Amino acid sequence: MVNPNHKLEIKPLKAFIFDLDGVIVDTAKYHFTAWKRIGEKVGFTLSHEQNESLKGVSRVESLERILGWAGVQLSAEEKEALLIEKNEDYLQQIDAMGREEILPGVLELLQFAQENNIPVALGSASKNATRILEKLNITSYFNAIVDGNHVSKSKPDPEVFLKGAELLQQAPENCVVFEDAAAGIAAAKAAGMTTIGMGGADEVKTADHCFDAMDQITTAFIRSL
Ligand code: BG6
Ligand code: MG
């Protein structure tokens, strides 16, 4: 028998903020190939470990770090030329990419959010984010988009996620961030949000919850957050 004096407490579902590269789609490998080529131009071989630490980091900051590792100093014009070259290389690779490169479980989670009126934002460092979402035909799942064109500070600064929460009109503690980068997990933590680490990198294991892939995330887990 249901006790009429006892109100059933239904916990509201938290808002979702998704990183893009390496979370929604495996573009991380294209960034790596493009940066590796730029590294080679300045006589430097970019390692997997170094590349891992560039995840979530803006284009300009990534180049600065690569030049630092290479011990190479360039003029502002030379740097600008390398940034353009890197992006042209990257865009050529992503333009050949198809919907099949959306990572497993992503579409299902976006659909679950839509069906359950969960607010969804993108929180990405990439200046190419809207182009990629359009290419994958998933823009309509997002209530708000914050990308590299809208922020002045790179992850691990929380700016990108705080802006996302603000656009969704959600308190930071009511947001869950899906991230594959150490810098992104640190940014989401600094924003006071729940963190879900995607992928196997050690640094990502500091997240509140970790999954190898999004198809391992159950609706029961989402409801428990
Ligand atoms: C992040 C990637 O999402 O975006 C980084 O993890 C990348 O590797 C950064 O450097 C900026 O991307 P873009 O598309 O603006 O060069
Ligand atoms: Mg990422």
Side-chain angles (χ1 to χ4, degrees), residues 34-35 37-39 41-42 59 63 66-67 72 74 76-88:
W35 280 131
R37 286 190 193 131
I38 294 297
K41 291 203 88 163
V42 295
R59 199 182 309 162
L63 179 63
I66 291 170
L67 295 177
V72 170
L74 297 179
E77 291 73 27
E78 287 167 325
K79 286 182 195 174
E80 189 52 33
L82 287 183
L83 288 170
I84 291 170
E85 192 176 329
K86 188 269 171 179
N87 201 46
E88 280 172 354

Coordinates of all heavy atoms in Angstrom, one line a residue, residues 34-35 37-39 41-42 59 63 66-67 72 74 76-88:
A34 N 48.3 15.2 -37.6 CA 48.6 16.5 -38.1 C 49.7 17.2 -37.2 O 50.6 17.8 -37.8 CB 47.3 17.4 -38.0
W35 N 49.6 17.0 -35.9 CA 50.7 17.6 -35.0 C 52.0 16.9 -35.3 O 53.1 17.5 -35.2 CB 50.3 17.5 -33.6 CG 49.4 18.6 -33.1 CD1 48.2 18.4 -32.4 CD2 49.5 20.0 -33.3 NE1 47.6 19.6 -32.1 CE2 48.4 20.6 -32.7 CE3 50.4 20.8 -34.0 CZ2 48.2 22.0 -32.7 CZ3 50.2 22.2 -34.0 CH2 49.1 22.8 -33.3
R37 N 53.1 15.7 -38.0 CA 53.7 16.2 -39.3 C 54.3 17.6 -39.0 O 55.4 17.9 -39.5 CB 52.6 16.3 -40.4 CG 52.3 15.0 -40.9 CD 51.4 15.1 -42.2 NE 50.8 13.8 -42.5 CZ 49.6 13.6 -42.8 NH1 48.7 14.6 -42.8 NH2 49.2 12.4 -43.1
I38 N 53.6 18.4 -38.2 CA 54.2 19.7 -37.9 C 55.5 19.6 -37.1 O 56.5 20.2 -37.3 CB 53.1 20.6 -37.1 CG1 51.9 20.9 -37.9 CG2 53.8 21.9 -36.5 CD1 52.2 21.8 -39.2
G39 N 55.5 18.6 -36.1 CA 56.7 18.3 -35.3 C 57.8 18.0 -36.2 O 59.0 18.5 -36.1
K41 N 58.4 18.8 -39.2 CA 58.9 20.0 -40.0 C 59.9 20.8 -39.2 O 60.7 21.5 -39.7 CB 57.7 21.0 -40.3 CG 56.7 20.4 -41.3 CD 56.0 21.5 -42.0 CE 56.8 22.0 -43.1 NZ 56.0 22.8 -44.1
V42 N 59.8 20.7 -37.8 CA 60.8 21.4 -37.0 C 61.8 20.4 -36.4 O 62.4 20.7 -35.4 CB 60.1 22.3 -35.9 CG1 59.3 23.4 -36.5 CG2 59.3 21.5 -34.9
R59 N 44.6 24.9 -29.9 CA 45.6 24.8 -31.0 C 46.9 25.6 -30.8 O 48.0 25.1 -30.9 CB 44.9 25.2 -32.3 CG 45.6 24.8 -33.6 CD 44.8 25.3 -34.8 NE 43.4 25.1 -34.8 CZ 42.5 25.8 -35.5 NH1 42.9 26.7 -36.4 NH2 41.2 25.5 -35.4
L63 N 50.8 24.1 -30.1 CA 52.0 24.4 -30.9 C 53.1 25.0 -30.0 O 54.2 24.6 -30.1 CB 51.6 25.5 -32.0 CG 52.8 25.9 -32.8 CD1 53.4 24.7 -33.6 CD2 52.5 27.0 -33.8
I66 N 54.7 22.0 -28.3 CA 55.5 21.2 -29.2 C 56.8 22.0 -29.5 O 57.9 21.4 -29.4 CB 54.7 20.9 -30.5 CG1 53.6 20.0 -30.2 CG2 55.7 20.4 -31.6 CD1 52.6 19.8 -31.4
L67 N 56.8 23.3 -29.7 CA 58.0 24.0 -30.0 C 58.9 24.0 -28.8 O 60.1 24.0 -28.9 CB 57.6 25.5 -30.4 CG 56.9 25.6 -31.8 CD1 56.5 27.1 -32.0 CD2 57.7 25.0 -32.9
V72 N 62.7 24.8 -30.1 CA 62.7 25.6 -31.3 C 62.0 26.9 -31.1 O 60.9 27.0 -30.5 CB 62.0 24.9 -32.5 CG1 61.9 25.8 -33.7 CG2 62.8 23.6 -32.9
L74 N 60.4 30.3 -32.9 CA 60.0 30.8 -34.2 C 59.3 32.2 -34.0 O 58.9 32.6 -32.9 CB 58.9 29.9 -34.8 CG 59.3 28.4 -35.1 CD1 58.1 27.6 -35.6 CD2 60.5 28.4 -36.1
A76 N 56.4 35.1 -34.8 CA 54.9 35.0 -34.8 C 54.4 34.6 -36.1 O 53.4 33.8 -36.2 CB 54.4 36.4 -34.4
E77 N 55.0 35.1 -37.2 CA 54.5 34.8 -38.6 C 54.8 33.3 -38.9 O 53.9 32.6 -39.5 CB 55.3 35.6 -39.7 CG 55.0 37.1 -39.7 CD 55.6 37.8 -38.5 OE1 56.6 37.4 -37.9 OE2 55.0 38.8 -38.1
E78 N 55.9 32.8 -38.5 CA 56.2 31.3 -38.7 C 55.2 30.4 -37.9 O 54.8 29.4 -38.4 CB 57.7 31.0 -38.3 CG 58.7 31.6 -39.3 CD 60.1 31.6 -38.7 OE1 60.3 31.7 -37.5 OE2 61.0 31.4 -39.5
K79 N 54.9 30.9 -36.7 CA 54.0 30.1 -35.9 C 52.6 30.1 -36.6 O 51.9 29.1 -36.6 CB 53.9 30.7 -34.5 CG 55.1 30.4 -33.6 CD 54.8 31.0 -32.2 CE 56.1 31.0 -31.4 NZ 55.9 31.7 -30.2
E80 N 52.2 31.3 -37.0 CA 50.9 31.4 -37.7 C 50.8 30.5 -38.9 O 49.8 29.8 -39.1 CB 50.7 32.9 -38.1 CG 49.3 33.2 -38.6 CD 48.1 32.8 -37.6 OE1 48.3 32.8 -36.4 OE2 47.1 32.5 -38.1
A81 N 51.9 30.4 -39.6 CA 51.9 29.6 -40.8 C 51.8 28.1 -40.5 O 51.0 27.3 -41.1 CB 53.2 29.8 -41.6
L82 N 52.4 27.7 -39.4 CA 52.3 26.3 -38.9 C 50.9 26.0 -38.4 O 50.4 24.9 -38.6 CB 53.3 26.0 -37.8 CG 54.8 25.9 -38.3 CD1 55.7 25.5 -37.1 CD2 55.0 24.9 -39.4
L83 N 50.3 27.0 -37.7 CA 48.9 26.8 -37.2 C 47.9 26.6 -38.4 O 47.1 25.7 -38.3 CB 48.5 27.9 -36.4 CG 49.2 28.0 -35.0 CD1 48.8 29.4 -34.3 CD2 48.7 26.9 -34.1
I84 N 48.1 27.4 -39.4 CA 47.3 27.2 -40.6 C 47.5 25.9 -41.3 O 46.5 25.2 -41.6 CB 47.5 28.4 -41.6 CG1 47.0 29.7 -41.0 CG2 46.9 28.2 -43.0 CD1 47.4 31.0 -41.7
E85 N 48.8 25.5 -41.4 CA 49.1 24.2 -42.1 C 48.5 23.1 -41.3 O 47.9 22.1 -41.9 CB 50.6 24.1 -42.2 CG 51.1 23.0 -43.1 CD 52.6 23.0 -43.2 OE1 53.2 24.0 -43.2 OE2 53.1 21.9 -43.4
K86 N 48.7 23.1 -40.0 CA 48.1 22.0 -39.1 C 46.6 21.9 -39.3 O 46.1 20.8 -39.5 CB 48.5 22.3 -37.6 CG 48.1 21.2 -36.7 CD 46.7 21.2 -36.1 CE 46.3 20.0 -35.4 NZ 45.0 20.1 -34.8
N87 N 45.9 23.1 -39.3 CA 44.5 23.0 -39.4 C 44.0 22.5 -40.8 O 43.1 21.8 -40.9 CB 43.9 24.3 -39.0 CG 42.4 24.2 -38.6 OD1 42.1 23.3 -37.8 ND2 41.5 25.0 -39.2
E88 N 44.7 22.9 -41.8 CA 44.3 22.5 -43.2 C 44.5 21.0 -43.3 O 43.6 20.3 -43.8 CB 45.2 23.2 -44.2 CG 44.7 24.6 -44.5 CD 45.6 25.4 -45.4 OE1 46.7 25.0 -45.7 OE2 45.1 26.6 -45.7

